[in-house]
Amino acid sequence: MSKLNPSAKKALAIIRNYQGPKIRIMEVCGTHTHEIFRLGIRSILPDAIELISGPGCPVCVTPVSFIDEAILLAKKGVRIFTFGDLVRVPGTDGSLADARSRGARVNIVYSPLDAVSYAKDHPEEEIAFLAVGFETTTPISCLAVKRAAALGLQNFSLLTANKTMPAAYLAMSKYTDAYLYPGHVCAITGTKLPSELTKQGISGVVTGFTISELLTALAVIIEKTQQKKPFFVNCYPRVVREEGNPAACALIRHYMEPCDSEWRGLGLLKNSGLQLREAFTRFDARRRYALPALHGHANPACRCGEILQGLKKPADCPLFGRTCTPEHPVGACMVSHEGACSAYYLYDGRQAFTKQK
């Protein structure tokens, strides 16, 4: 680990010397959770500073019913294209990996554009891409629809579970004193929303992923919290701008519109999802294949829902590290490399912080 710069050293001193009231800080981004563990930052926090994990992992918050829909599509003979993490998330009766072992056609790709290319080259096959993600990855799904339309494809569709963060911020605000806002999402959406949330008493900072950026963000939260009024600070100005990424936002608005969406742990949140607009419903897998409404059922012993709200830590789950491991996940939070359970299992919360001179 490289030496800390002067501003990071100052931030580290503020954190270590804090002796005030308890502050609960929610990491909305799963990458923040993993980096804070990897860098050993948790081990230097005073007892009054508690970091809790929120629903910053799109795979984690995707409901069981979505996996059930994907498996049903595969049973109908549709070739499924998806990001790798989603393959191992359990549905009501198994995962997509289980379905693949029984003959379902499931392809792992890095981009929905790969699915479009396959559909173009294989017009005899029906292709569906599982569009999961927040504002960061939604634009590329929209680009896939744009390309499929330009190519005149008749065999490509999206099964959408895209979500937006505003409703989730409101739903979780009672569980935290301040957010570590996700840097990648804010790079797309800008700083207007978190700034406006201060009017509703919601505080937070957006930050990056280096040790200096994370220490600075935590120190800012500590100092701002003492002022007893809501705040927002952009601690990631090298990437996050006030206006965000207007082109990406315009692309989302053109192809998609808000809809109510189910979040694992948070339930149905109004206007928190995105679906294809009427002009593009020919690319909507639910309509194309007349999928019925499904109501999935997770393992009742799994505590992913409470972990995603910050109500429990992964170790509080009776399955954690026993029947639920990265090799044999029971819950979505153990599957994704951004999941809280995955981070706690990997780092175990005991690694020492490397002292800096």
Side-chain angles (χ1 to χ4, degrees), residues 266-287:
L266 299 179
L268 189 70
L269 299 183
K270 187 175 179 60
N271 289 331
S272 66
L274 291 167
Q275 64 185 9
L276 289 169
R277 291 186 178 276
E278 190 67 30
F280 306 103
T281 53
R282 65 187 183 279
F283 299 109
D284 185 330
R286 289 188 180 90
R287 293 202 184 190

Side-chain angles (χ1 to χ4, degrees), residues 184-208:
H184 295 148
V185 169
C186 290
I188 300 296
T189 61
T191 61
K192 181 179 179 181
L193 172 63
S195 295
E196 290 182 344
L197 287 176
T198 61
K199 300 174 184 178
Q200 300 187 53
I202 298 174
S203 298
V205 303
V206 58
T207 190

Side-chain angles (χ1 to χ4, degrees), residues 188-242:
I188 300 296
T189 61
T191 61
K192 181 179 179 181
L193 172 63
S195 295
E196 290 182 344
L197 287 176
T198 61
K199 300 174 184 178
Q200 300 187 53
I202 298 174
S203 298
V205 303
V206 58
T207 190
F209 306 92
T210 68
I211 189 167
S212 296
E213 289 167 335
L214 288 164
L215 289 175
T216 297
L218 293 174
V220 167
I221 289 175
I222 289 172
E223 292 197 317
K224 288 288 186 180
T225 300
Q226 306 317 299
Q227 298 175 11
K228 306 295 184 182
K229 59 181 181 181
F231 62 88
F232 167 70
V233 179
N234 181 3
C235 294
Y236 200 22
R238 66 186 177 92
V239 172
V240 175
R241 304 286 186 267
E242 180 180 358

